[in-house]
Amino acid sequence: MSAPTSRPAHLPLAELALAGVTLAVIFGFARLFQGWSFFWPLVAVGAYAHLATMTLRRRGAGVATSAVVSLAGFLLLAGAIWFAETTTFLLPTSRTMEVVSAELGESWAAFQQLTAPVPGRSGFLLACGLAIFVAVFLADWAAFRLWSPIEAIVPATTLFVFGALLGADQQRTTSAVAFGLAVLLFVLAHRVARLERRPGWLTSDDDRGSRWLLRSGGALVAAAVLAGVVIGPRLPGATAPALIDWRAGDGGPSSRVTVSPLVDIRQRLVDQRDLVVFAVEADRKAYWRLTSLDTFDGQIWRSGGRYREASGALPAQLPAEVTSAPVRQRFSILGLSALWLPAAYQPVAVDAEARVRYQPDSATLIVDTAYPSSDDLRYEVVSEIPEPTPEQLDRPAEPIPAELAGYLELPSGFSRKAQRLAREAVATAGATTPYQQAMALQAFFRDEGVFATDDHRFVYDLSPAPGHGDDAIDAFLDSGRGYCEQFAGTYAAMARSIGLPARVAVGFTWGEQDPSNPNLYLVRGRFAHAWPEVWLGEQVGWVAFEPTPGRGAPGMGYAGIRPAQADGESPEPTTSTTTPVATTDPTIPQVSQPDERLSPEDLAALQQPGSTDSPSPSSPSPWTEPLAYARHHPARAALALATLTGLYAIGMAGTAALRRRRRLAAARDPNARVRLAWRDLSVQLRRLGIVRRPTETSNEFATRAAAALPEHATAIIALAADADAATFSTLALDQSRPERAELLVANLARTVSRRLPRHRAVLDRLDPRLALRS
């Protein structure tokens, strides 16, 4: 393709319009994620990608060079945005690679079971950021190197369609309108810029012609979008069901596969530890359970099942021979960002202001598919909390019903080490009944009873990478260090290996009790928790155990455990203080009412930082809150910037020196040395803005350069003649010619350095184009 005669006047407008297409794609991702925490990090990635590709292209870098340089910058940016705590001065470390690998693995496993919208996990966002970067690079290459607008919008369209296929119904119309408008505006701006490249484009008044085309084209774009928004929904069949309802899946609308909440538990414990996820008013504390996970595929615990609409009494499966205490709870969800509705186990009735669904097998409440998450929802739940005694639980083993066979399944090749340790633990404790075996496994992890040691074989630790697959289980058993995810997942898998039906429950411990209202509990991210549940027979059903050291649910006297949670709250009596009251529905237990429900203003105040009973907020992120980060860590921010700049300058200088040495080594005769000197001369002239035009001969270019540098005029013109002779003549030049040429280049470099301002000299050292042309 021939080079354009001049840069189009409206090229910046076309570049900005292409960035608008990327922004519309990112906005469309709102259908995939819960909330808007994903938005600004992805906008930062998109802005960087456009600026990097545009700058490199305008400075003459080739496609391969642009790809390498911009990708390196993307990797630095992505690490700083999503994994800053693992970097050193914002540079990736081996720890960064480990965390990235773990996050991507967990996200891939979750993706296979995911129902949008989902929380903005780092792994998901990193994958989206990489896709955006690649799409921007390809779009810029097609739009402004090949000048093909159709190919330029293909990458963005692919991402938008991907999000539309997997996304929820939220923002469906808005995102489609935004994307369509952005694409049409880009096509219009690109056409104007492409026409301006042509020498014959309204040469008498090209600016007026461009403005006319933009105005008329903009009017057509506005009319087309308006017609689509107004007329489209009114066309016949616009609101009819799809011919192929591919979203419903095999189970229909009541079937829902949910991503494992264990995927997010470490993020809550670390990154969201001080966020109030919900508030609950209840007259006794309990573990606030979200769901139970019944399937272990060797990589992740997950659940799935058919949910039915729920209101009033629930089809709860209460154990026949276990005493229980009723408790009424009033929940106000603030920042849970999930589809589950927490409740004490086992819920028997629900009253919500929105449609909810219930899954009896796992005793799980979720919001209806019409809602993206449970945030901002208020509801009441009545639960029957089991209070079994050891005598009620210690029963001979019973045949396991066929419907519970799935709770014994383990993946092929499951850890032999875990199986061996489970058998040894049961044998060491002399356990014979299912209850005794479950207690033996619990004592094994808590270093209690016959397993008590002075050095504590297992320790609660948040530093291990998240995961509960086979490899993670072996690593946990070897190191003895993990948090509730590893303790609960490993316990349940080991229980299954010795014939105990088991599952993993996920939820929260009871949280902070409000001093002014003893019935109010504020549950923050750091109270996220997981624990195993074991089926001990038809008469007693599912029973919770607690293998995690330092944790214990109220009412776990049967397991020999006192109440304990993350902040070491002292144990309190677990005797129920409830008093049944009258009810119009005999199927719903009634208890004494807690204090009056919190107002919306009270709930909003719970999230305000700086409350007297709230821990101090975590340190601001250098990318999501750059100004705040710089204020908190000015020296660290300045040092990071200086380090990055210095490393980049060293890299550019090293690249230039290396390429220069290679060229000198390859120039073995006077002709080659003259050609190299002519190339170096062109690089120095480019620093002054003197660039050879495609139609110029060497002599014409030298004459133009000589006019700008009269002190070197004679030498420049002579070198141009020598360069032509070295290139097109078969005769060898004498040795004095290359020596004269090299002296000219050295003198010219000093002249250029004197003429340029100091800041330009510094920028030249950072210019990748000059380094790669050296």
Side-chain angles (χ1 to χ4, degrees):
M1 177 183 297
S2 61
T5 57
S6 62
R7 177 177 295 174
H10 287 86
L11 176 62
L13 180 62
E15 293 169 333
L16 183 62
L18 184 60
V21 175
T22 303
L23 183 62
V25 171
I26 297 173
F27 177 76
F29 284 169
R31 301 181 61 184
L32 297 176
F33 296 105
Q34 296 171 357
W36 289 91
S37 61
F38 76 93
F39 186 72
W40 291 113
L42 292 185
V43 168
V45 169
Y48 160 78
H50 279 286
L51 287 173
T53 53
M54 178 189 71
T55 302
L56 291 167
R57 167 174 45 80
R58 287 192 174 193
R59 298 186 73 88
V63 175
T65 301
S66 297
V68 172
V69 174
S70 57
L71 178 60
F74 164 77
L75 295 178
L76 290 174
L77 178 63
I81 291 178
W82 292 298
F83 308 100
E85 68 279 3
T86 68
T87 62
T88 301
F89 302 125
L90 301 183
L91 295 176
T93 63
S94 58
R95 174 63 176 162
T96 306
M97 300 299 104
E98 294 174 2
V99 174
V100 168
S101 177
E103 286 286 345
L104 290 176
E106 291 281 351
S107 296
W108 173 247
F111 175 77
Q112 301 176 66
Q113 310 143 29
L114 181 108
T115 299
V118 299
R121 286 188 54 82
S122 298
F124 285 130
L125 294 180
L126 176 61
C128 288
L130 179 59
I132 289 170
F133 169 78
V134 173
V136 169
F137 181 84
L138 294 176
D140 186 272
W141 171 60
F144 305 115
R145 294 181 188 265
L146 302 180
W147 287 92
S148 177
I150 302 303
E151 285 80 354
I153 63 175
V154 168
T157 303
T158 302
L159 288 182
F160 181 79
V161 171
F162 173 82
L165 291 176
L166 297 182
D169 287 341
Q170 59 193 39
Q171 305 294 342
R172 179 172 59 181
T173 301
T174 308
S175 61
V177 171
F179 181 74
L181 178 61
V183 167
L184 291 175
L185 290 176
F186 163 71
V187 172
L188 173 62
H190 186 273
R191 177 168 179 78
V192 171
R194 186 170 55 168
L195 287 173
E196 289 176 343
R197 299 175 73 243
R198 299 179 181 178
W201 165 243
L202 297 177
T203 54
S204 61
D205 196 350
D206 55 351
D207 187 56
R208 180 180 299 177
S210 297
R211 290 201 306 270
W212 176 85
L213 184 55
L214 286 172
R215 283 197 301 268
S216 58
L220 290 175
V221 167
V225 172
L226 182 62
V229 172
V230 175
I231 300 175
R234 292 169 173 76
L235 292 175
T239 59
L243 294 177
I244 302 177
D245 190 6
W246 61 271
R247 286 182 180 272
D250 296 335
S254 61
S255 178
R256 192 163 191 176
V257 178
T258 58
V259 64
S260 170
L262 286 177
V263 170
D264 295 312
I265 199 166
R266 187 175 186 274
Q267 183 182 14
R268 295 190 187 278
L269 290 169
V270 178
D271 299 334
Q272 302 175 8
R273 60 177 289 104
D274 297 327
L275 174 70
V276 178
V277 292
F278 60 85
V280 55
E281 293 175 288
D283 47 14
R284 66 174 291 175
K285 63 185 180 183
Y287 274 8
W288 314 119
R289 185 177 180 272
L290 295 178
T291 187
S292 66
L293 312 174
D294 52 25
T295 302
F296 181 51
D297 60 8
Q299 295 296 324
I300 194 170
W301 285 89
R302 57 183 174 83
S303 66
R306 183 177 292 274
Y307 290 79
R308 63 189 65 178
E309 290 190 12
S311 181
L314 300 173
Q317 302 171 353
L318 296 174
E321 296 188 4
V322 173
T323 58
S324 60
V327 58
R328 177 180 291 274
Q329 311 127 74
R330 289 175 171 169
F331 286 91
S332 299
I333 308 301
L334 301 174
L336 185 59
S337 299
L339 55 90
W340 298 281
L341 301 176
Y345 185 80
Q346 177 169 5
V348 296
V350 62
D351 179 18
E353 59 190 21
R355 294 196 306 272
V356 300
R357 293 181 178 273
Y358 180 68
Q359 212 280 329
D361 292 341
S362 61
T364 300
L365 288 163
I366 64 172
V367 291
D368 188 78
T369 53
Y371 302 91
S373 75
S374 59
D375 286 0
D376 301 321
L377 182 65
R378 294 183 176 191
Y379 60 97
E380 295 186 8
V381 177
V382 175
S383 300
E384 287 283 350
I385 299 181
E387 295 182 340
T389 64
E391 294 73 24
Q392 290 173 329
L393 300 180
D394 196 10
R395 307 163 59 91
E398 301 177 11
I400 298 174
E403 62 268 20
L404 296 181
Y407 293 96
L408 290 171
E409 293 180 356
L410 288 170
S412 59
F414 175 68
S415 169
R416 294 183 179 180
K417 181 183 183 72
Q419 297 180 59
R420 174 177 57 80
L421 290 177
R423 292 192 300 267
E424 291 176 357
V426 169
T428 300
T432 56
T433 66
Y435 167 68
Q436 295 173 7
Q437 293 170 347
M439 288 291 292
L441 288 179
Q442 176 181 278
F444 171 75
F445 285 108
R446 295 177 68 97
D447 294 317
E448 296 174 347
V450 296
F451 304 101
T453 60
D454 294 334
D455 56 353
H456 295 288
R457 183 188 304 106
F458 291 97
V459 178
Y460 186 90
D461 186 0
L462 279 171
S463 61
H468 32 86
D470 288 349
D471 293 341
I473 286 177
D474 283 344
F476 168 59
L477 292 173
D478 289 338
S479 69
R481 309 187 73 86
Y483 53 99
C484 57
E485 176 182 355
Q486 284 83 24
F487 281 99
T490 304
Y491 179 107
M494 291 173 64
R496 289 188 176 191
S497 73
I498 58 174
L500 297 178
R503 62 192 186 188
V504 175
V506 185
F508 295 83
T509 58
W510 57 90
E512 300 172 354
Q513 195 168 20
D514 192 314
S516 62
N517 182 358
N519 291 325
L520 174 63
Y521 298 89
L522 306 182
V523 183
R524 302 180 186 272
R526 68 174 178 273
F527 298 116
H529 192 46
W531 61 94
E533 296 175 340
V534 180
W535 187 81
L536 296 181
E538 290 281 3
Q539 303 304 311
V540 295
W542 291 97
V543 179
F545 289 87
E546 185 55 273
T548 304
R551 304 293 184 271
M556 266 193 175
Y558 62 87
I561 295 176
R562 297 169 68 86
Q565 61 175 359
D567 56 0
E569 180 176 325
S570 59
E572 297 178 1
T574 58
T575 305
S576 174
T577 59
T578 60
T579 303
V581 297
T583 175
T584 57
D585 186 348
T587 66
I588 302 179
Q590 298 291 310
V591 297
S592 58
Q593 297 295 324
D595 289 356
E596 185 178 354
R597 176 181 295 187
L598 295 174
S599 68
E601 293 75 16
D602 294 332
L603 293 175
L606 296 178
Q607 294 289 45
Q608 298 300 320
S611 63
T612 56
D613 59 347
S614 300
S616 60
S618 57
S619 178
S621 163
W623 288 99
T624 58
E625 302 173 89
L627 295 180
Y629 181 85
R631 286 196 301 268
H632 281 76
H633 310 287
R636 188 181 302 176
L639 182 58
L641 179 61
T643 301
L644 288 174
T645 304
L647 290 175
Y648 181 80
I650 292 172
M652 290 297 100
T655 301
L658 179 60
R659 292 176 64 86
R660 176 67 181 168
R661 284 197 297 270
R662 288 180 176 176
R663 292 186 185 279
L664 286 173
R668 300 180 181 276
D669 57 72
N671 289 32
R673 289 173 59 188
V674 166
R675 291 194 295 269
L676 178 58
W678 177 249
R679 178 187 180 91
D680 292 342
L681 177 75
S682 300
V683 172
Q684 293 300 327
L685 292 175
R686 181 180 290 269
R687 295 176 63 193
L688 293 176
I690 305 173
V691 181
R692 184 174 178 177
R693 297 164 183 161
T695 57
E696 280 184 324
T697 65
S698 298
N699 184 66
E700 290 171 340
F701 175 48
T703 301
R704 187 160 56 87
L709 295 160
E711 63 270 44
H712 301 291
T714 303
I716 291 175
I717 294 175
L719 178 54
D722 289 345
D724 283 342
T727 303
F728 302 110
S729 175
T730 58
L731 298 178
L733 299 175
D734 61 73
Q735 188 64 33
S736 64
R737 301 294 181 88
E739 294 174 355
R740 183 177 65 186
E742 291 162 0
L743 178 61
L744 167 63
V745 172
N747 292 333
L748 182 62
R750 287 191 288 270
T751 300
V752 172
S753 297
R754 286 195 303 268
R755 286 196 176 189
L756 291 177
R758 184 176 296 275
H759 74 277
R760 278 293 310 277
V762 173
L763 292 176
D764 282 349
R765 292 182 180 276
L766 303 178
D767 190 343
R769 181 192 63 182
L770 293 178
L772 295 174
R773 289 179 180 272
S774 299

